[in-house]
């Protein structure tokens, strides 16, 4: 298994990224190789600093970096040798099985569509996140930021994409799909969620259980939570803030500790012809390590291939 990692992406790169990669070598199987992409002098210096002498971490030079505030499309066009562009190039040519970055989110999303392309039949790829349940399990929520304004047909596809992801990444058989709305009744919602409800209800390929409300987010009512990217991103950032507040007040709880972004490490881009994961901009070494584990699970389960097979049928 080969995973490419943008060594220059994130607020604390490359130090935190390299350290996270080295943490991952201790917890991933020996068959996994990590390709650090970025300034080779800086990366080699950090590897030497940490005393790494193994062969599972390799360095791929990239002379350019896309900054966090740069325009995604312009940056990818003007910086073809950036760490993100090089990483996607390796993914597109199948030199690696997955690509991760805690860098510019927009560039990662645009790069995925431009390089590995979206799966034929999928209207728009989704950015997903994992939601902890009080019972101890996890649910998947999509979208969480890729598409702020969704059409009903896109929300329907999110239900399908999320179901496949829940089956193979979370090992949930026949996952329950819920549409995030402002009421449980079928007639509730907006000009988007009302027709989306009908499409999801008529879709025989998923286990749609109807509308869910914000209070259902952390219970067992749904395994797949469907929403537009605006709503999903607000919910995601709210959960992160709850953890931060509790942490500042020195309050610890096993459930709320799972709100920490480090616990999962990243958000998968679902619906493109390759396994790609976007990490938080402030990713720590622990978050980077867990992002690599998520990417490895996506590659092991052939997530991109599963989606391609489903939508080609």
């Amino acid at each position: 298994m080969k995973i490419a990692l943008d060594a220059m992406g994130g607020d604390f790169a490359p130090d935190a990224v390299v350290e996270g990669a080295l943490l991952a070598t201790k917890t991933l199987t020996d068959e996994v190789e990590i390709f650090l992409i970025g300034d080779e002098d800086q990366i080699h210096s950090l590897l030497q600093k940490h005393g790494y002498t193994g062969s599972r971490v390799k360095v791929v030079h990239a002379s350019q970096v896309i900054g966090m505030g740069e325009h995604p499309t312009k940056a990818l066009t003007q910086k073809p040798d950036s760490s993100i562009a090089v990483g996607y190039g390796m993914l597109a040519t199948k030199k690696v099985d997955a690509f991760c970055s805690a860098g510019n989110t927009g560039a990662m999303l645009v790069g995925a569509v431009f390089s590995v392309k979206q799966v034929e039949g999928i209207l728009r790829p989704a950015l997903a996140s994992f939601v902890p349940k009080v019972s101890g399990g996890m649910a998947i929520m999509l979208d969480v930021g890729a598409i702020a304004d969704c059409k009903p047909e896109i929300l329907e596809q999110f239900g399908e994409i999320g179901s496949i992801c829940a089956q193979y990444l979370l090992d949930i058989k026949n996952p329950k799909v819920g549409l995030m709305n402002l009421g449980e009744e079928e007639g509730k919602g907006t000009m988007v969620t009302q027709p989306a409800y009908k499409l999801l209800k008529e879709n025989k390929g998923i286990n749609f259980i109807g509308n869910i409300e914000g209070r259902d987010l952390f219970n067992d009512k749904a395994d797949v939570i469907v929403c537009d990217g605006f709503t999903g991103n607000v919910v995601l950032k709210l959960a992160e803030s709850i953890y931060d507040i509790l942490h500042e007040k020195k309050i610890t709880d096993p459930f709320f500790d799972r709100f920490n972004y480090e616990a999962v490490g990243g958000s998968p881009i679902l619906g493109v012809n390759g396994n790609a994961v976007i990490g938080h901009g402030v990713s720590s070494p622990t978050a980077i390590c867990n992002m690599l584990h998520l990417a490895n699970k996506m590659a092991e389960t052939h997530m991109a291939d599963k989606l391609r097979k489903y939508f080609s049928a």
Side-chain angles (χ1 to χ4, degrees):
M1 193 71 67
K2 296 178 171 61
I3 304 175
L5 175 61
D6 175 11
M8 314 309 288
D11 294 347
F12 305 113
D15 302 63
V17 180
V18 172
E19 187 176 344
L22 296 180
L23 283 175
T25 61
K26 300 175 182 178
T27 50
L28 289 168
T29 61
D30 293 340
E31 291 75 26
V32 178
E33 294 181 315
I34 300 171
F35 291 77
L36 289 171
I37 306 170
D39 186 297
E40 57 185 352
D41 291 336
Q42 292 187 59
I43 298 172
H44 281 303
S45 176
L46 287 168
L47 290 174
Q48 185 176 10
K49 173 185 174 182
H50 289 284
Y52 182 75
T53 57
S55 59
R56 291 172 57 200
V57 176
K58 305 181 187 305
V59 180
V60 177
H61 182 64
S63 62
Q64 298 171 310
V65 178
I66 295 177
M68 299 298 269
E70 291 191 65
H71 187 280
T73 307
K74 288 183 179 179
L76 284 166
T77 303
Q78 297 170 359
K79 295 183 175 180
D81 198 43
S82 65
S83 50
I84 289 179
V86 171
Y88 270 126
M90 295 178 71
L91 185 62
T93 54
K94 301 189 184 302
K95 293 179 180 178
V96 294
D97 301 292
F99 173 49
C100 306
S101 174
N104 187 305
T105 299
M108 281 294 290
L109 290 168
V110 172
V113 175
F114 280 1
S115 57
V116 295
K117 314 295 183 184
Q118 63 195 58
V119 170
E120 186 175 355
I122 287 183
L123 299 172
R124 295 286 296 274
L127 189 60
S129 185
F130 299 96
V131 179
K133 295 183 179 182
V134 175
S135 62
M138 296 283 275
I140 182 168
M141 179 170 62
L142 65 169
D143 181 62
V144 295
I147 313 170
D149 297 306
C150 291
K151 295 180 179 179
E153 294 82 4
I154 294 175
L155 290 176
E156 179 194 10
Q157 282 198 345
F158 287 171
E160 296 175 307
I161 295 170
S163 292
I164 295 169
C165 185
Q167 288 179 58
Y168 295 102
L169 286 186
L170 301 179
D171 301 316
I172 301 174
K173 294 181 180 180
N174 196 29
K176 296 171 289 186
V177 179
L179 176 64
M180 182 58 69
N181 213 328
L182 46 75
E184 295 181 351
E185 297 82 3
E186 182 172 346
K188 290 288 183 70
T190 67
M191 297 297 290
V192 174
T193 56
Q194 287 181 17
Y197 184 104
K198 293 182 180 179
L199 291 173
L200 288 162
K201 184 179 180 180
E202 294 169 1
N203 191 318
K204 303 303 180 183
I206 60 175
N207 179 19
F208 182 58
I209 53 90
N211 288 327
I212 63 171
E213 298 177 291
R215 61 184 175 184
D216 299 313
L217 195 65
F218 305 114
N219 61 30
D220 290 322
K221 192 167 184 179
D223 304 303
V224 178
I225 301 160
V226 174
C227 59
D228 61 80
F230 182 92
T231 301
N233 192 265
V234 170
V235 171
L236 178 64
K237 298 297 172 60
L238 174 62
E240 290 179 1
S241 73
I242 291 173
Y243 170 79
D244 291 339
I245 291 169
L246 292 175
H247 185 70
E248 289 175 5
K249 292 182 176 294
K250 295 181 170 47
I251 299 173
T252 59
D253 179 89
F255 172 68
F256 289 109
D257 286 346
R258 296 167 70 199
F259 282 35
N260 184 358
Y261 78 93
E262 293 179 318
V264 174
S267 297
I269 304 174
L270 300 173
V272 294
N273 291 296
N275 301 301
V277 184
I278 301 176
H280 202 298
V282 296
S283 287
S284 64
T286 299
I288 295 294
C289 176
N290 287 331
M291 178 166 60
L292 288 166
H293 274 272
L294 174 58
N296 184 59
K297 181 71 178 289
M298 291 177 67
E300 282 183 336
T301 57
H302 304 284
M303 181 53 53
D305 294 334
K306 294 285 195 310
L307 289 169
R308 187 162 50 245
K309 181 178 180 180
Y310 177 89
F311 283 95
S312 67

